[in-house]
Amino acid sequence: MNTISVVIPAHNEADNIGNLVQEIVATGLECEIVVVDDGSTDDTHARLLALKSSIPSLKVVQHDRAYGQSAAVATGIRQASGAIIATMDGDGQNNPADVPKMVEAILKSDNPNLKMVAGYRKKRDDPPWRIISSKLANAYRRFFLRDETPDTGCGLKVFYRSAFLELPFFDHMHRFLPALVKMKGGDVISVEVHHRPRTAGVSK
C-alpha cells in the first residue's frame, strides 16, 4: 500500500495556512500533512502548532530563515513518510479537492513508468499581468526543454517520493520538476485543476 504525504511550503501565510490544512482533512484523503514554515516572520508557525492538537496527521517543520520555495519543498519531501507526495502552495490558491483525483491517476495508471501527475490551471484566477507573464514563461520553457507540460508553475503536483530524491537539487528547481523527471526517464502527465484567488497575504 502506498502511503501519501501532502507537502506544503509556507512563508508568511498565517491567514491562509490554517484553512488550507483543514480543507485537506475535509477531502477525506488518508494522508500525512507536512507544512514547512520557510522562515516566516508572521504567525504562520504559531498557527500551525495550534492546529497540531486537533489534527494528528499534521507535521510542522521550520526553517531558521527563508531559504525559498524549492528548499522548503525539498525539506518537506525529505521529512515526509509517504511513498506518494502531493505538493501544493501555501497561499490557498490550489484546491485540495483536486488532490484525490491526481493521486488516483498515478496509482491506477497502467503505465508503470508514470512518475508524476502535474496540475494544469487552464482557468486561472490571477491578475492579467501574472497570467500573461506565466504563459510567456511556460512557452519559453517548453520551447527549450520540450517537457510537454502546459503549466509547470502550478504548485499542485503528485509524484513518487523516490523519483524526486533522484533529482539534482538547485534553487528554483520546483519550476522544472516535470522536465527533470523526464530527463531521468520518467513519464509525466498533466490534468486540469482548479485555481482560486488569493484571499489573504501577498504573492511571493
Side-chain angles (χ1 to χ4, degrees):
M1 178 179 178
N2 287 297
T3 53
I4 303 162
S5 295
V6 178
V7 174
I8 307 169
H11 176 72
N12 289 345
E13 297 290 0
D15 293 329
N16 294 311
I17 198 64
N19 288 337
L20 182 60
V21 170
Q22 290 171 339
E23 280 189 284
I24 295 170
V25 174
T27 66
L29 182 69
E30 293 187 12
C31 64
E32 170 188 56
I33 304 170
V34 182
V35 182
V36 180
D37 172 16
D38 188 37
S40 295
T41 55
D42 65 358
D43 291 333
T44 295
H45 191 65
R47 296 196 184 188
L48 286 167
L49 293 180
L51 281 173
K52 280 181 63 66
S53 60
S54 60
I55 304 177
S57 59
L58 175 62
K59 178 185 290 186
V60 180
V61 183
Q62 185 179 38
H63 281 168
D64 58 356
R65 64 177 177 85
Y67 290 92
Q69 186 170 344
S70 289
V73 168
T75 293
I77 293 171
R78 293 188 187 105
Q79 292 285 330
S81 59
I84 298 291
I85 301 293
T87 60
M88 60 193 316
D89 295 335
D91 57 13
Q93 290 194 259
N94 298 140
N95 192 335
D98 288 315
V99 175
K101 72 177 181 182
M102 296 177 72
V103 170
E104 184 177 18
I106 198 168
L107 290 180
K108 294 189 175 181
S109 172
D110 56 6
N111 177 6
N113 202 45
L114 180 63
K115 303 299 181 184
M116 174 177 287
V117 177
Y120 170 32
R121 300 166 294 179
K122 190 174 183 179
K123 297 179 180 178
R124 293 187 58 170
D125 204 328
D126 272 329
W129 67 267
R130 181 174 292 278
I131 294 173
I132 292 170
S133 63
S134 179
K135 286 184 176 179
L136 289 173
N138 276 318
Y140 184 82
R141 188 207 68 258
R142 285 199 305 272
F143 178 79
F144 285 100
L145 298 181
R146 308 294 181 185
D147 63 5
E148 300 176 353
T149 303
D151 187 15
T152 192
C154 180
L156 193 50
K157 296 180 176 70
V158 172
F159 47 87
Y160 288 98
R161 182 175 183 270
S162 57
F164 178 88
L165 294 177
E166 293 178 353
L167 303 179
F169 175 79
F170 55 90
D171 196 18
H172 298 294
M173 71 170 292
H174 67 280
R175 302 181 187 276
F176 302 96
L177 285 178
L180 291 169
V181 169
K182 295 191 77 169
M183 287 172 61
K184 283 289 187 177
D187 291 337
V188 178
I189 62 171
S190 296
V191 300
E192 188 173 342
V193 297
H194 299 89
H195 189 244
R196 308 184 293 191
R198 175 185 271 276
T199 59
V202 296
S203 175
K204 312 304 185 294

